[in-house]
Amino acid sequence: MGRGSGFGKVILFGEHFVVYGFPAIAAAVGSTTIATVRRISEPGWKITDNRPAVPGYKKKKLNEQKVSIDNILRFADIDVSQEGLHITLGGKLVCASGIGASAASCTAIARALSDEFRLGWDDNKVNACAYEGELGYHGTPSGIDNTAATFGGIVWYKRDLNGGDPTIETIKLKEPTDIVIASTGITASTKEVVGDVRKLKEEKTKWWDQIAEDYAEIAETARKGFDDMDLQLIGLLMNQNHNLLIEIGVSCVELEELVGVSRQAGAWGAKLTGTGRGGNMVALTPGRDLQNNVFGIIKQRGFSAWRYRIGV
Ligand code: PMV
């Protein structure tokens, strides 16, 4: 039996902009998805998905998951036409739109296959395979999710729009810090939302160029803010990034409620994270007391929420 794992992630800066070659910053969270693969005598592959998930998540992703696993097996050059595979997914990562659950599962499956079939893959190869898997979930993944799922820590990620290798750099924090992630409970389709943003970008090029320029400055300043461990600045920049995400039409009522509540409870910054139009919100809450406070108030409102340390 082969086994592998992949981290969940949170995008701190740059969702959507990353698709168009702007740098983004993502942090791995402490929870992982674990995959095991076992050879079986029947042909084909089957999956047992034991991952915890928000209601509706797994059903909504089922068809995409099939395409994703076919892609992964093709990349790994594993033929299941005679002897098949039983893939089992588990682990503590709760699947919700925005936590990188699909990428975490792709990374975990890639590692489990490498383990079972003695492929000897390093992290770069695992990441390349997980990217193929991500293609099954939406047509044009930037690659940031699988990169964070594979490498962990905090990553600075910039895709090469000419098809070359992306820039992946690790950002080291002087000390870890605390965040709260909350789920709207709504599972958005990344493909659809990314498609809508693309349409807007193509229709209103001048408008987009200004927003993209503003974002580029936020990303560069945030990079410096992390190097200097200036978390107050990071919080401020997260708020600014959120405003740009509102402008490109990817927030929603529930996300605004979560962002507002978190800021009121003292979070240093709060923004939607990931696809948007549902999915998750991330709040920067340095120190356990503040983290617990923001977490508690979000829970009182009836949302699911999680506390994580990043930069560990
Ligand atoms: O919803 P998530 O966590 O899978 O993030 C999607 C991030 C996007 O920038 C919207 C798309 C991408 O491929 O990077």
Side-chain angles (χ1 to χ4, degrees):
M1 191 178 75
R3 194 172 186 280
S5 69
F7 290 104
K9 70 91 199 36
V10 60
I11 297 181
L12 298 173
F13 292 97
E15 48 279 278
H16 291 286
F17 297 99
V18 68
V19 172
Y20 304 102
F22 292 92
I25 299 173
V29 299
S31 301
T32 56
T33 288
I34 312 264
T36 58
V37 298
R38 205 163 44 80
R39 297 184 215 211
I40 51 174
S41 49
E42 314 92 81
W45 60 264
K46 61 178 183 178
I47 188 157
T48 305
D49 193 344
N50 295 327
R51 293 174 298 168
V54 297
Y57 176 92
K58 289 195 220 171
K59 197 159 171 230
K60 188 148 186 186
K61 300 275 178 177
L62 202 58
N63 288 334
E64 297 176 357
Q65 187 182 50
K66 286 196 180 114
V67 180
S68 168
I69 292 174
D70 284 341
N71 285 358
I72 289 174
L73 292 175
R74 200 173 314 114
F75 181 93
D77 208 13
I78 291 167
D79 176 11
V80 289
S81 63
Q82 312 286 326
E83 201 185 37
L85 278 181
H86 183 184
I87 301 167
T88 305
L89 294 180
K92 291 227 165 83
L93 183 70
V94 179
C95 301
S97 188
I99 197 74
S102 61
S105 72
C106 292
T107 295
I109 293 169
R111 285 201 169 117
L113 290 173
S114 174
D115 185 26
E116 174 64 18
F117 292 91
R118 300 186 194 290
L119 304 174
W121 285 356
D122 63 8
D123 280 351
N124 286 319
K125 194 82 187 203
V126 166
N127 196 28
C129 179
Y131 180 76
E132 290 300 311
E134 276 283 272
L135 283 170
Y137 285 96
H138 67 104
T140 54
S142 63
I144 188 167
D145 282 17
N146 47 280
T147 299
T150 302
F151 292 94
I154 298 184
V155 290
W156 168 270
Y157 179 89
K158 190 168 186 291
R159 81 191 279 218
D160 177 353
L161 295 184
N162 297 318
D165 289 339
T167 306
I168 300 170
E169 287 164 15
T170 303
I171 296 179
K172 292 246 179 303
L173 289 194
K174 286 206 184 80
E175 56 191 67
T177 191
D178 308 297
I179 59 167
V180 174
I181 297 176
S183 170
T184 58
I186 302 164
T187 301
S189 158
T190 304
K191 206 186 224 164
E192 260 172 50
V193 183
V194 168
D196 287 352
V197 172
R198 185 181 297 277
K199 229 190 277 157
L200 264 181
K201 172 181 178 286
E202 282 163 8
E203 279 165 15
K204 299 163 71 178
T205 46
K206 270 223 172 87
W207 165 85
W208 171 267
D209 288 348
Q210 183 56 57
I211 289 182
E213 197 180 304
D214 291 350
Y215 171 69
E217 202 179 319
I218 290 174
E220 294 297 336
T221 315
R223 171 96 199 234
K224 211 176 158 303
F226 278 118
D227 290 342
D228 299 343
M229 197 66 196
D230 186 347
L231 295 182
Q232 240 149 17
L233 175 64
I234 295 295
L236 211 75
L237 294 166
M238 285 170 71
N239 292 343
Q240 288 177 7
N241 191 167
H242 182 71
N243 288 342
L244 297 182
L245 292 164
I246 294 176
E247 277 196 60
I248 66 171
V250 299
S251 191
C252 63
V253 176
E254 294 79 0
L255 282 167
E256 289 311 307
E257 181 180 352
L258 284 168
V259 163
V261 161
S262 301
R263 289 180 189 160
Q264 257 170 26
W268 293 17
K271 64 184 274 294
L272 74 85
T273 177
T275 302
R277 298 233 186 111
N280 287 356
M281 184 255 1
V282 59
L284 181 65
T285 55
R288 296 286 193 201
D289 288 348
L290 177 58
Q291 187 188 40
N292 287 336
N293 195 27
V294 172
F295 173 77
I297 287 172
I298 290 172
K299 295 286 280 185
Q300 268 173 24
R301 295 276 185 131
F303 292 99
S304 302
W306 300 272
R307 288 164 286 189
Y308 287 114
R309 301 215 92 189
I310 56 166
V312 180

